[in-house]
Amino acid sequence: MDSQHCKMSGDPFQESRYIEDSPSKNGVISLIFSLKEEVGALAKVLRTFEEKGINLTHIESRPSRLNKDEYEFFINLEGKNVPALDAIIKSLRSDIGATVHELSRIKKKDTVPWFPRSIQELDRFANQILSYGAELDADHPGFKDPVYRARRKEFADIAYNYRHGQPIPRVTYTEEEKKTWGTVFRELKTLYPTHACYEHNHVFPLLEKYCGYREDNIPQLEDISNFLQSCTGFRLRPVAGLLSSRDFLAGLAFRVFHSTQYIRHASKPMYTPEPDICHELLGHVPLFADPSFAQFSQEIGLASLGAPDDFIEKLATVYWFTVEFGLCKEGDSLKAYGAGLLSSFGELQYCLSSKPEIQPLVLEKTSMQKYPVTEFQPIYYVAESFKDAKEKLRKFAQTIPRPFSVRYNPYTQRIEVLDNAKQLKNLADTINSEIGILCNALQKIK
């Protein structure tokens, strides 16, 4: 979708795309800011620019698409006095309570990377994959199988053409594919009672009851996505290949998990060199139905929004040693909750043996740990609980150098950037309302 269509469609969720695609002229800086509709508001802003000696070359206005009592202003200005402009933007946000978007300026090294502000904007990078699903490495079990390669392209094309809000297309799996799934399903299910965490074992029977989890049936992503939304608000989205860490984590901020639909090659049912539907549905999905784990996963995603590249790498490493290969305590025992463990018959047994090194989850240390991707992990990190891991993650996120905080609004399915007084007041009002509900409930159960 091009920027001209965004302007004409009137869709407020396309605002960020329109901003980013806006062309930049030499020596000209463009801003969009919103103000409450009140007498003298715009004059106060213009006086601020005048006092700082910054010349405006263009200005236009329109009613806000997000707030009925506000107007949005688009301005072009000369970019000669950059330090003064920084002070003005700060003043607009803190003193006047304006929401400011900077459209164009020569980017500095510490510029905040773009991130999606609405769930619809996940469409923008869902196909910016590192490898296309139909492309296989020479050592892949299905590399020399033309039928398998053609099948992989079918799955990749489904994901490539998917857009948010559409039902996930249903797939008719072949008998060979169902046989491969059945082998993996049957073997892993024998280990879950003794090796998987409580949350996984609690949800798994519900998936069998409501989502078609059976040895002779590969469940459909649409059915599972609807089930997860009813449990925790998480949803699945088909993906055509591997996303970058930044893009994948950004999806989690919206409680969206990018999932494959293809299955591993039939010649090696107990091995896959990449995530497949066995890994996604048997490893990841059960935990996304647990409220505490779902919140922990979303916290990782929220921490990644606008984070510098080096912190994205750290967060991806944290994700690896928790969501993919994490262990947790249950009484005096250790159990697996990582999807990479819960979908691997061999490593699920290995991780709870005496062979690997076991360390407590300390994110400052865990985030720096190197790891192999083609063999069993030599070291695993143990969380005291999902609640404990979540609190550690929040403290770790506070060390990320970005000039704002973020929160997810589940009603609008948008990311709110908390960088001005108005946003903080709205958040305080929301918290105050929730505390009122809590106090009222406490009084009734005394």
Side-chain angles (χ1 to χ4, degrees):
M1 182 179 293
D2 59 25
S3 60
Q4 187 63 31
H5 176 79
C6 294
K7 289 172 66 178
M8 298 178 63
S9 68
D11 183 355
F13 298 111
Q14 299 293 345
E15 178 181 276
S16 295
R17 179 178 296 190
Y18 168 58
I19 289 173
E20 189 180 67
D21 291 347
S22 179
S24 173
K25 300 177 181 179
N26 292 333
V28 175
I29 295 172
S30 301
L31 298 176
I32 281 182
F33 60 90
S34 57
L35 294 172
K36 282 192 174 181
E37 186 180 3
E38 55 187 33
V39 177
L42 179 59
K44 186 176 180 181
V45 172
L46 297 179
R47 189 162 53 249
T48 303
F49 282 102
E50 183 180 0
E51 290 172 352
K52 296 292 185 181
I54 294 181
N55 296 323
L56 274 62
T57 60
H58 176 81
I59 183 169
E60 60 183 80
S61 65
R62 69 182 181 193
S64 174
R65 297 171 177 176
L66 300 178
N67 297 299
K68 294 181 179 180
D69 61 340
E70 292 185 354
Y71 265 78
E72 294 175 349
F73 296 88
F74 171 85
I75 61 174
N76 286 335
L77 46 99
E78 295 178 356
K80 298 177 181 179
N81 195 347
V82 172
L85 177 61
D86 291 335
I88 287 177
I89 292 176
K90 183 177 180 180
S91 176
L92 289 176
R93 288 172 173 162
S94 60
D95 300 336
I96 301 178
T99 301
V100 184
H101 301 282
E102 185 176 342
L103 277 61
S104 55
R105 193 183 341 177
I106 296 175
K107 300 299 182 182
K108 297 182 286 187
K109 290 183 178 180
D110 59 351
T111 298
V112 175
W114 178 88
F115 58 88
R117 297 285 290 274
S118 72
I119 196 169
Q120 287 85 350
E121 289 184 337
L122 298 184
D123 287 343
R124 298 189 61 182
F125 61 72
N127 293 321
Q128 295 177 7
I129 51 180
L130 303 180
S131 63
Y132 197 60
E135 298 172 358
L136 305 178
D137 292 333
D139 59 351
H140 191 286
F143 179 74
K144 296 181 179 180
D145 184 342
V147 175
Y148 182 78
R149 292 173 68 94
R151 183 66 165 158
R152 286 289 294 266
K153 187 178 185 306
E154 292 179 29
F155 287 111
D157 288 344
I158 290 174
Y160 193 80
N161 292 308
Y162 178 82
R163 296 296 179 268
H164 172 75
Q166 298 175 346
I168 302 174
R170 294 181 177 273
V171 173
T172 301
Y173 288 97
T174 66
E175 289 303 315
E176 183 178 66
E177 288 168 339
K178 287 190 283 188
K179 182 179 179 181
T180 300
W181 162 271
T183 300
V184 179
F185 183 92
R186 181 176 61 253
E187 295 298 325
L188 284 171
K189 194 175 177 182
T190 63
L191 291 180
Y192 288 156
T194 53
H195 289 65
C197 64
Y198 165 81
E199 290 80 4
H200 187 279
N201 285 325
H202 174 70
V203 171
F204 203 84
L206 299 177
L207 293 168
E208 292 179 305
K209 182 176 181 180
Y210 296 110
C211 298
Y213 273 54
R214 299 193 309 272
E215 184 177 328
D216 62 349
N217 179 66
I218 302 177
Q220 298 291 331
L221 294 193
E222 178 70 8
D223 296 336
I224 299 166
S225 186
N226 291 334
F227 174 79
L228 290 178
Q229 288 181 59
S230 70
C231 294
T232 62
F234 248 93
R235 69 184 72 204
L236 302 182
R237 176 182 178 125
V239 67
L242 293 174
L243 293 170
S244 70
S245 294
R246 182 181 293 280
D247 291 345
F248 179 81
L249 295 177
L252 295 180
F254 294 86
R255 297 204 172 201
V256 172
F257 180 74
H258 289 81
S259 173
T260 57
Q261 280 183 296
Y262 57 79
I263 195 165
R264 60 196 65 184
H265 194 261
S267 64
K268 292 187 176 181
M270 301 309 291
Y271 168 76
T272 177
E274 67 205 324
D276 73 335
I277 199 165
C278 297
H279 171 76
E280 319 285 38
L281 302 195
L282 298 175
H284 281 293
V285 163
L287 272 297
F288 284 134
D290 176 76
S292 186
F293 182 83
Q295 188 172 5
F296 171 73
S297 301
Q298 185 180 29
E299 295 272 356
I300 297 179
L302 289 169
S304 75
L305 300 180
D309 290 343
D310 57 333
F311 272 85
I312 291 294
E313 183 177 351
K314 291 179 180 179
L315 287 169
T317 302
V318 169
Y319 178 91
W320 179 269
F321 282 112
T322 54
V323 179
E324 288 290 352
F325 291 96
L327 300 178
C328 63
K329 287 185 177 181
E330 281 188 12
D332 297 329
S333 302
L334 294 181
K335 301 292 183 179
Y337 71 89
L341 302 175
L342 294 168
S343 60
S344 170
F345 185 79
E347 192 161 5
L348 185 53
Q349 297 176 83
Y350 164 82
C351 71
L352 297 181
S353 70
S354 59
K355 297 178 181 179
E357 180 182 352
I358 306 296
Q359 292 285 341
L361 184 64
V362 180
L363 296 191
E364 292 75 15
K365 179 181 178 180
T366 305
S367 65
M368 303 297 291
Q369 179 66 46
K370 302 298 181 183
Y371 55 86
V373 295
T374 58
E375 58 190 58
F376 291 172
Q377 301 301 303
I379 182 171
Y380 299 98
Y381 290 92
V382 180
E384 295 291 328
S385 65
F386 294 147
K387 180 180 178 181
D388 176 67
K390 188 166 52 184
E391 290 303 317
K392 289 179 177 178
L393 180 64
R394 286 174 177 169
K395 291 180 180 179
F396 182 74
Q398 291 174 2
T399 67
I400 298 176
R402 59 182 180 183
F404 53 81
S405 295
V406 297
R407 71 182 290 265
Y408 177 64
N409 187 326
Y411 304 111
T412 62
Q413 297 181 325
R414 289 180 63 87
I415 298 297
E416 296 178 353
V417 176
L418 306 176
D419 63 351
N420 61 65
K422 179 185 175 183
Q423 289 284 359
L424 297 180
K425 182 181 182 302
N426 290 342
L427 177 58
D429 290 343
T430 300
I431 294 173
N432 186 55
S433 176
E434 295 295 321
I435 291 177
I437 295 173
L438 175 62
C439 292
N440 185 47
L442 287 173
Q443 290 176 352
K444 292 184 176 182
I445 64 174
K446 284 183 179 179

